[in-house]
Amino acid sequence: MIFWIINFYASPLKNAAINNNQEILNLLMKHNQIQVKEKCFENCKKLTHITLSNSLKQIGNYAFYGCSKINQITIPSSVIEIGDFVFSKCCSLTSISIPSSVKSFGKNIFDGIKSLNITGDIIHLPNQLFEQNLSLK
């Protein structure tokens, strides 16, 4: 089992830093990681479990796009922005917790997800999260 621990203190992960990696199963993001850049973990098809940093502020466009084995995720209360298509094509995702700290939502975040339980203290979810998601009920 491959377990990645992202333990950066200064610079954020670069765009597409680890995308298409077929070895990562678990991801633990620690310490001062404040941003997941665009396409950072895109198409990491074996990635099943993600623990995000409690200091994370932004999840960039397509950050976890196509990570088809992730089944649940908790967005930390430090996050204020979630980009476009972040969890699109994460077809195993069935549960997500979104805090009220998230003020900016990208479009089509959940495209391609068949069933999703959204929890957390978020009050309002904009329509654009589901625009192209014909299968979500």
Side-chain angles (χ1 to χ4, degrees):
M1 176 187 304
I2 304 291
F3 191 88
W4 274 57
I5 299 177
I6 307 297
N7 196 8
F8 291 91
Y9 290 95
S11 62
L13 291 169
K14 294 180 173 38
N15 287 3
I18 305 169
N19 70 350
N20 294 306
N21 184 303
Q22 301 306 306
E23 302 299 319
I24 301 173
L25 300 177
N26 296 289
L27 172 67
L28 173 60
M29 195 175 285
K30 296 175 73 175
H31 301 295
N32 294 333
Q33 191 67 34
I34 61 167
Q35 182 181 35
V36 177
K37 289 277 199 159
E38 185 172 313
K39 298 183 179 183
C40 191
F41 298 99
E42 178 185 30
N43 290 316
C44 290
K45 303 251 183 231
K46 292 186 179 180
L47 183 60
T48 58
H49 186 262
I50 300 169
T51 303
L52 297 173
S53 166
N54 285 331
S55 57
L56 192 66
K57 300 283 184 207
Q58 179 195 31
I59 303 173
N61 299 340
Y62 297 88
F64 296 101
Y65 180 95
C67 294
S68 56
K69 301 273 186 186
I70 297 170
N71 62 10
Q72 69 87 26
I73 190 161
T74 299
I75 306 294
S77 60
S78 57
V79 173
I80 57 173
E81 181 181 344
I82 299 175
D84 299 339
F85 296 93
V86 169
F87 299 108
S88 290
K89 309 302 180 204
C90 293
C91 53
S92 296
L93 187 63
T94 58
S95 177
I96 187 166
S97 179
I98 303 174
S100 60
S101 62
V102 179
K103 303 299 183 205
S104 176
F105 291 93
K107 61 185 176 191
N108 300 316
I109 291 173
F110 303 118
D111 184 41
I113 296 174
K114 294 179 182 161
S115 177
L116 185 62
N117 181 28
I118 300 173
T119 61
D121 59 359
I122 190 75
I123 296 169
H124 173 73
L125 291 172
N127 288 338
Q128 79 260 20
L129 301 184
F130 309 101
E131 278 179 1
Q132 293 182 4
N133 198 340
L134 301 176
S135 59
L136 188 65
K137 298 193 182 346

